[in-house]
Each structure stands twice: as C-alpha cells, then as structure tokens.
C-alpha cells in the first residue's frame, strides 16, 4: 500500500511533474523515451515504473528482447548509436556522482543529438528520476493484474 497519495496531498506539485512528463512526451522520440524511462527505473529500483514502462513499450510495438536487454545494454547488440548514447547519459544522470556527467558520455551524446534534442533528453531523464523517487519513497506498487 502507498504511504501517501501524492496527487491528493500535493496536487500542485504532482501537476508540475506531470507538466514535465507531457513536455517530454511531445519532444523526445517515443522509442528512446521508453528505453530511458525503463533504464532509469531499473537503476532506481522502481518496480512500479519498470512495470509501467515495459508494458507501455510493448504496447507501442517494442520487442521484449530489446526491453530485457536494457538491463545489460552495453553488451547487447540491439541498440542504435543514438539509443546507446541516450542510455549512457541516463546511467550517468541517474547515478549522478561527485563529478557529474563525464565528458566522454556527454560528448558522445552531443555528436548524435542536436542541442535541442540533448536538452530534451536531459529533461526526460530528470523527469523519470523524479517519478522514480516519488514512487519508491511512497512505496507505490505495480498493479498485480492488468
């Protein structure tokens, strides 16, 4: 059971995060966005988001093979260069350490994404990290049946 019903208790804050979500939905390639959401959710241990984004990606036509491979994307041959740089950036932004995002990760992404696309990608990664932190801290569980 959830610890707290965030939309009910802080509706303005919830709507603000939802505004970010709507923005990235309109501005980031859907396939890449679902891979990014799934990867960040795996790293953050957010079962609710892993479940939701894997189901969303499958419904949109993504292969289960690629979705399973997101957990080991560096070794998997199934991803394009743009997807790989997005996943690498997701790893670095999600695990943001003392030294931030390494230059080699940023530079690789900047070579295949335009400045606007890269900015949108950073917003997308930040947004899923916000959702993950809300869901994990409130113990939001995925539905048992869908």
């Amino acid at each position: 059971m959830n610890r707290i019903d965030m939309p009910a208790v802080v509706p303005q804050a919830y709507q603000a995060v939802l505004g970010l979500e709507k923005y990235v939905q309109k501005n980031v390639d859907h396939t890449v966005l679902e891979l990014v959401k799934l990867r960040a959710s795996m790293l953050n241990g957010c079962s609710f988001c892993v479940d939701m984004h894997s189901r969303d990606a499958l419904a949109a036509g993504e292969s289960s093979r690629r979705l399973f491979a997101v957990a080991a994307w560096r070794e998997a041959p199934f991803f394009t260069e743009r997807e790989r740089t997005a996943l690498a950036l997701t790893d670095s932004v999600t695990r943001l350490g003392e030294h931030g995002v390494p230059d080699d990760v940023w530079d690789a992404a900047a070579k295949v994404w335009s400045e606007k696309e890269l900015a949108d990608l950073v917003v997308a990664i930040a947004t899923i990290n916000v959702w993950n932190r809300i869901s994990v801290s409130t113990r939001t569980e995925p539905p048992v049946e869908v």
Side-chain angles (χ1 to χ4, degrees), residues 3 74 96 118:
R3 287 178 165 168
R74 290 181 194 278
L96 200 56
L118 191 52

Side-chain angles (χ1 to χ4, degrees), residues 2 4 18 46 53 61 74 78 80 83 108 111 118 121-122:
N2 289 6
I4 190 169
L18 195 55
C46 183
H53 297 301
R74 290 181 194 278
F78 312 125
T80 67
E83 291 167 342
K111 286 180 184 174
L118 191 52
L121 190 55
V122 169

Side-chain angles (χ1 to χ4, degrees), residues 133-145:
R133 280 149 178 75
I134 289 170
S135 293
V136 170
S137 63
T138 61
R139 293 189 179 155
T140 304
E141 295 179 346
V144 175
E145 295 184 32

Side-chain angles (χ1 to χ4, degrees), residues 81 85 88 103-113:
E81 183 180 11
T85 60
D103 289 339
D104 63 323
V105 171
W106 184 267
D107 294 344
K111 286 180 184 174
V112 296
W113 295 89

Side-chain angles (χ1 to χ4, degrees), residues 68-135:
F68 295 144
V70 167
W73 69 267
R74 290 181 194 278
E75 291 79 26
F78 312 125
F79 303 104
T80 67
E81 183 180 11
R82 283 170 60 92
E83 291 167 342
R84 287 182 174 288
T85 60
L87 290 166
L89 190 60
T90 300
D91 284 6
S92 291
V93 172
T94 300
R95 293 177 170 152
L96 200 56
E98 181 181 342
H99 301 291
V101 175
D103 289 339
D104 63 323
V105 171
W106 184 267
D107 294 344
K111 286 180 184 174
V112 296
W113 295 89
S114 72
E115 188 173 51
K116 167 79 163 71
E117 290 172 324
L118 191 52
D120 286 338
L121 190 55
V122 169
V123 172
I125 297 165
T127 302
I128 188 57
N129 273 281
V130 170
W131 286 125
N132 290 164
R133 280 149 178 75
I134 289 170
S135 293

